Amino acid sequence: MPDDRLQRLTATRRVVVCAGAGGVGKTTIAAALSLSAAGRGRRVLCLTIDPARRLADSLGLTLAPGVEAEVAPERLAAVGASTAGSLSVAMLDPKQTFDDLVTRHASSPEAAQKILQNQFYRHVSTSLAGTQSYMAMEKVLSVLKSGRYDLIVLDTPPTSEALDFLDAPERLVEALDSPAMRWLVQAIQPTGGFSMQILARGVAALLRTMGRMTGRGFLEDMAAFVGELNELFGGFKDRASEVSRAFRAPDFGYLLVAAPSGPALEEARFFSERLRKSGLRADALVLNRVHAPAAPTPADDIASLLAERGLSLQPEQLLKAQADEQARARTEAPEIEKARRIFPAENLWFVPVMAGDVRGLADLAKVSRALVRA
C-alpha cells in the first residue's frame, strides 16, 4: 500500500534528499513528508539549502540562517499529528558551517582565528563554486552525529544545482588543492617578496595585473590562506571523503519531485540516471499537482449542489472550470505514461492539484495525507 511505502521510506532512512526541477512544489513535498514523519512519532529536521524562504512561510515560521526552529507541539496536534514526535526547520548558513569546520580541524584556536580573519577565506567560504552544496552535506552529517533527530529531510535547490551534491566534496578539495593555489604559495614568499622565477612568465604577468587590480594585500592574503590551509588540509580532505561516503550510504534516500510535464519529467529522468551512475537509486518519484481525469458532472447536478450550499455562482462558471480541469488531465496523461515507463508503479506516487496555494500547516497536512494515499 502507498502508506506502507511512505512509512518505510521515513522509517528506514535517516536522511531523505528531495530533488527536482524548480517550480514543481519540491519544498512543499519536503515539508509534507517531514510533517508526516513527525506525525508518526519521529524527531524530524527539515533542512533547506534553497535560499528562497518558502519552507518557513509554509510552516508559519520566521527563520534565521543556521538556526533550528521547532514547530510548537500544539500546532502539530491541531492538524492531527502525534505530539510524540517533533518537527524542526532550519535554513543552511554555508559560511557558519565552513567556520565550524575550520575551527574543528585547525591545530589550535590561534590557527583557526588566522584563517577565519583572512579576507580571502571570507571570499572562498561564501563564493567558491560547490561551497553551498558541500556545506549542506557537512551540516547534514554534523546533525546526524549529534543524535538530536531521527530523520533529516533535505530540501535542495533546482535539479541542476542539486546534482552538485554528488561531486561537491571532490570538487571543493580539488579547488582548494589546485596547482594554481600551490604555485601562489610558492610565488609569494613569507618575506613578502615575489619569486616570479618559479612561475611561468604568463602567470607572473597575470599576478602583476591582479596585484594592480586588487592590491598587494589581497594576493598576500590569498597565499597566506592557502599556506595556513596546509596544516588542516589532511583533516579536511579526510572529512570530505567521509561526507561523500555518507551520502552514498543505505540510510540516505533520494526522493525526486516533478510536475506532470515534459521538461520536469526530463529533469527527473536525468537526475535518476545521474544517481544510477553513482551507484545510487531514487527511492520514488512524486508527481505533484496532477489533474485527475473524472467523469463530468451534469449541469443540473451542479445547479442543485450550488443551491444546497446557498452559493451564488452560476453553473456555467463551474462547467467551464470543470472543462479546463479535464483538458489539463488529457494533456498530462501522455506525460504520466512516460513517468510509468521510467519508474515502476511501486515507486511512483501522485499528489493531486490543490485548490489554491499551500500555506500553513493545515494545507501541508492535506498534502501529507494525499502523499500517504498516493
Side-chain angles (χ1 to χ4, degrees):
M1 295 174 61
D3 189 19
D4 294 335
R5 298 203 310 259
L6 177 66
Q7 189 166 4
R8 189 163 57 247
L9 176 65
T10 57
T12 60
R13 300 290 191 267
R14 297 184 67 201
V15 177
V16 175
V17 179
C18 293
V24 298
K26 178 170 47 61
T27 298
T28 297
I29 296 299
L33 189 70
S34 301
L35 179 59
S36 176
R40 289 187 171 92
R42 303 206 81 192
R43 298 171 300 162
V44 183
L45 173 67
C46 192
L47 173 66
T48 181
I49 66 170
D50 191 336
R53 296 179 179 269
R54 290 186 298 274
L55 179 59
D57 293 342
S58 66
L59 292 169
L61 296 173
T62 300
L63 281 185
V67 177
E68 296 168 17
E70 183 176 351
V71 178
E74 57 270 21
R75 295 190 61 213
L76 293 178
V79 295
S82 167
T83 55
S86 65
L87 175 57
S88 297
V89 186
M91 184 166 58
L92 179 72
D93 184 342
K95 175 70 165 59
Q96 183 59 53
T97 306
F98 209 152
D99 289 354
D100 293 343
L101 190 64
V102 168
T103 301
R104 285 199 305 272
H105 290 290
S107 59
S108 66
E110 292 75 21
Q113 283 304 309
K114 284 182 66 178
I115 295 177
L116 295 176
Q117 293 170 7
N118 184 292
Q119 68 166 322
F120 184 69
Y121 165 76
R122 292 171 187 161
H123 170 77
V124 165
S125 60
T126 55
S127 305
L128 188 65
T131 298
Q132 186 186 54
S133 292
Y134 177 74
M135 291 308 152
M137 299 170 81
E138 275 285 351
K139 180 67 175 178
V140 166
L141 204 57
S142 174
V143 172
L144 269 183
K145 289 187 172 183
S146 75
R148 290 180 288 116
Y149 298 100
D150 304 315
L151 175 69
I152 300 171
V153 178
L154 187 59
D155 173 41
T156 66
T159 304
S160 59
E161 297 171 50
L163 289 171
D164 291 346
F165 273 109
L166 303 176
D167 303 318
E170 293 83 358
R171 288 192 297 110
L172 193 59
V173 167
E174 287 171 3
L176 295 176
D177 195 33
S178 65
M181 289 283 201
R182 300 301 173 188
W183 289 343
L184 186 59
V185 175
Q186 297 171 42
I188 304 179
Q189 300 296 318
T191 58
F194 280 84
S195 296
M196 293 300 182
Q197 295 83 358
I198 71 170
L199 294 177
R201 185 170 299 176
V203 176
L206 176 61
L207 282 175
R208 283 194 293 269
T209 302
M210 287 177 62
R212 286 194 295 270
M213 293 173 61
T214 65
R216 173 71 175 275
F218 181 80
L219 288 178
E220 291 177 342
D221 274 353
M222 186 189 298
F225 164 68
V226 179
E228 289 155 1
L229 190 68
N230 282 333
E231 70 168 55
L232 60 82
F233 191 78
F236 181 79
K237 194 171 184 178
D238 291 342
R239 175 68 174 182
S241 297
E242 180 185 358
V243 169
S244 183
R245 287 194 303 272
F247 268 68
R248 289 163 170 79
D251 55 359
F252 277 60
Y254 292 85
L255 185 69
L256 305 185
V257 183
S261 67
L265 280 170
E266 179 58 27
E267 287 216 43
R269 186 204 61 76
F270 174 66
F271 192 37
S272 177
E273 182 64 18
R274 180 68 178 82
L275 286 170
R276 189 190 64 78
K277 289 180 179 178
S278 299
L280 303 169
R281 68 177 182 84
D283 289 88
L285 170 65
V286 176
L287 281 184
N288 191 32
R289 302 175 188 150
V290 173
H291 293 76
T297 304
D300 290 344
D301 291 349
I302 289 178
S304 298
L305 289 169
L306 289 173
E308 286 175 14
R309 289 163 175 74
L311 299 175
S312 59
L313 290 171
Q314 295 299 314
E316 290 75 14
Q317 293 175 276
L318 293 187
L319 285 170
K320 183 180 184 305
Q322 180 176 253
D324 289 343
E325 292 290 299
Q326 291 171 340
R328 290 289 297 273
R330 287 192 296 271
T331 301
E332 292 170 1
E335 304 302 334
I336 292 173
E337 287 306 310
K338 289 180 187 176
R340 295 186 195 278
R341 291 194 291 271
I342 299 172
F343 283 84
E346 65 271 15
N347 294 336
L348 187 59
W349 302 348
F350 298 88
V351 176
V353 65
M354 301 285 178
D357 293 335
V358 176
R359 297 184 182 276
L361 275 178
D363 288 342
L364 277 177
K366 294 177 184 176
V367 177
S368 178
R369 289 191 291 270
L371 188 60
V372 167
R373 287 195 303 270

